[in-house]
Structures are given as structure tokens and as C-alpha cells.
Amino acid sequence: MNAIISASQLESDLAGQNPPVLLDVRWQLSVARAAGEPPFDGRAAYEAGHLPGAVYVDLDRELAGAPGAGGRHPLPDVAEFGAAMRRAGVSSGTPVVAYDGGQGWAAARAWWLLRWTGHPDVRVLDGGLTAWEGALETAAPVSVAPGDFEPVPGAVGLLDADGAAALARSGVLFDARAGERYRGEVEPIDPVGGHIPGAVSAPTTQNVGTDGRFLPTEELAARFKGLGAAEGADVGVYCGSGVSGAHEVLALAVAGIPAALYVGSWSQWSSDPERPVAVGADPQ
């Protein structure tokens, strides 16, 4: 099964006999709050225009638990996540397509959670809303028939802090954040800059072209193999709080490389002063 879908293929599927459920996961990492600016309002963006029939999903409330010891976007309560997906019309026998404003991070978080909890057919709209050339609607769906999806965690790889540390030594652990955050030159959000010792810098922004769509499969595979993800290697990913990292796991899936996600990521790792921190371009 492909992990992504083009806008043209989605348009065709929506007109077919088994149209997918559409999840609108508009979200942005807001560092503007420190400057006194209001945070991004995903629901307002949804109400201003969304794919016909799409249901809005709130990343902070429905795709993550409350910030705390588990990081800024820890795993949501599984039962609550399942209830949110059923409210959105998600069923195990119905395909799902998630999209966001174009960056792809939030949609990938929904994709990863649904895959982790066992949904067999979920994809991300490649390029997000900006790739869609059809009409948009501003009204919410009149009614959404509840789905029957029952989440069963464990279908894909999940790492905790200790597992991420071990994988950085025994396999390949990719850091999906910007290079300057990896190197510790700047850290706008978390307590300290740097990276998990042994992790390899692999910014997720380099997995897409200028149009926000994923690079061709062959290019992605070559990139990751060049960074150490040789055939048979155990691969994991982390980022700041398990959102852009999900996008990197998605890129790896497009390249045919399975990878586990450390959801707590740097927001959890850096909050524990006992955990080591590496700085600079050298993974160690």
C-alpha cells in the first residue's frame, strides 16, 4: 500500500465506490507565542476552506496527550484517540486520507497514529491542501456517520528514550529537526540545544521539493541510504516532539524503509538533565 496519494488520484478515489474518509489536520508549530502573537488556529483555517466532506482533527487535543513528562506532544490516550477517529467517521474497512496546509507534518502525525493503532489503509495527500485544484467548501459536513475503528497499538515501531539511545548505537537514529537545532546552535523551544549522542542529522525539510511534495522514491531511498540506512538496518526517527519526525517516517515509508518513531523526541529527552547531549555536526 502506498503511504501517500496524489491530488489527482484522490479526486478519482472520492468519485469511486469506496471513497476515503478525509481528515483535515491543519496545524503549525507556533513559536510566535513567545513574541505575544496568537497561536495558529487550525479550525479557523478549516472553516475558511477545506476539501469537500473533510472532518477537522485537532492535533493538540486529539492526536496528542497533554504536554508533560512525555514531551510536548506525547501519545494520546488510546481510547480517546479511537473515540476521536470514530467521531470523524473512521472505520477499519474504509480508506483514510489525511491532509494539512501543505507542510505535511500534521497529516503525517495522523497517518502514523492510525498506522500504529492498526488501521490498514491510510495515506497522506502529497503536497497537502496546496496541491488540491478542485473546489473547497466552507461548511462543516452536515452529518458524519460514526466509524467503527478500534485502535490496537503496536502495528508499527515505537521507541522510548532508552530505545532511541540504544538504536543510535546499534542501528540508525535520524534527527529530523533543522540542522542548526541538531548542532545546538539555536534552540527556540526546548531547554537545551543539541542531539541524542549517535543520532544522524536528516532534516525532514530535505525530503520534499519546493512544491512541498515528496521527492521521487529513488531519490529518497538514495538519500537515506547515504545517511546510513543500509538494507537490513534498524532505523528510528525523532524530532522536537514527534510531529515532523512522523513526516520523516512517512518519507522513509515512501522510500521502502520501515522506521520506528520516538514520539517523546527532543522535548522529552532534553527535559531530563541526566540524559547526555551532543552538540556540533559530529553525531557523537
Side-chain angles (χ1 to χ4, degrees):
M1 185 193 72
N2 292 328
I4 57 175
I5 184 171
S6 68
S8 59
Q9 185 60 56
L10 176 58
E11 188 173 17
S12 176
D13 286 3
L14 288 171
Q17 295 183 343
N18 188 28
V21 171
L22 296 177
L23 303 182
D24 184 307
V25 200
R26 233 80 66 87
W27 174 89
Q28 289 180 14
L29 176 64
S30 181
V31 296
R33 298 182 198 181
E37 298 177 25
F40 175 79
D41 189 336
R43 181 169 289 279
Y46 166 84
E47 292 174 351
H50 53 268
L51 269 61
V55 177
Y56 176 68
V57 174
D58 189 310
L59 186 147
D60 290 316
R61 293 181 175 86
E62 296 174 310
L63 304 182
R72 278 183 280 110
H73 291 103
L75 288 172
D77 177 86
V78 171
E80 292 178 4
F81 171 69
M85 292 299 97
R86 291 190 294 274
R87 286 195 303 271
V90 174
S91 292
S92 295
T94 303
V96 176
V97 173
Y99 72 91
D100 55 29
Q103 189 179 41
W105 295 3
R109 172 75 175 215
W111 167 83
W112 184 85
L113 278 169
L114 282 166
R115 294 290 295 123
W116 178 65
T117 52
H119 196 286
D121 188 354
V122 54
R123 290 171 288 175
V124 168
L125 175 58
D126 193 18
L129 187 66
T130 58
W132 180 257
E133 297 181 353
L136 299 179
E137 66 180 19
T138 56
V142 175
S143 63
V144 177
D148 64 13
F149 178 64
E150 293 290 345
V152 180
V156 296
L158 172 67
L159 296 170
D160 59 12
D162 290 340
L167 185 59
R169 303 298 183 189
S170 65
V172 183
L173 180 66
F174 288 134
D175 184 316
R177 299 171 301 157
E180 58 268 26
R181 292 184 68 190
Y182 170 88
R183 295 188 296 271
E185 297 166 358
V186 61
E187 181 45 64
I189 307 170
D190 293 313
V192 63
H195 58 269
I196 297 173
V200 175
S201 180
T204 198
T205 52
Q206 295 179 20
N207 296 323
V208 298
T210 56
D211 58 1
R213 301 181 195 184
F214 282 104
L215 299 176
T217 297
E218 297 78 10
E219 290 185 31
L220 288 173
R223 181 191 184 217
F224 290 124
K225 288 179 181 178
L227 291 171
E231 186 173 352
D234 290 331
V235 179
V237 178
Y238 76 96
C239 58
S241 64
V243 179
S244 66
H247 190 265
E248 183 117 303
V249 173
L250 176 60
L252 283 154
V254 173
I257 302 170
L261 177 64
Y262 172 26
V263 173
S265 285
W266 191 249
S267 62
Q268 181 187 41
W269 183 278
S270 63
S271 68
D272 183 351
E274 297 299 316
R275 293 202 175 275
V277 171
V279 296
D282 190 328
Q284 306 306 322

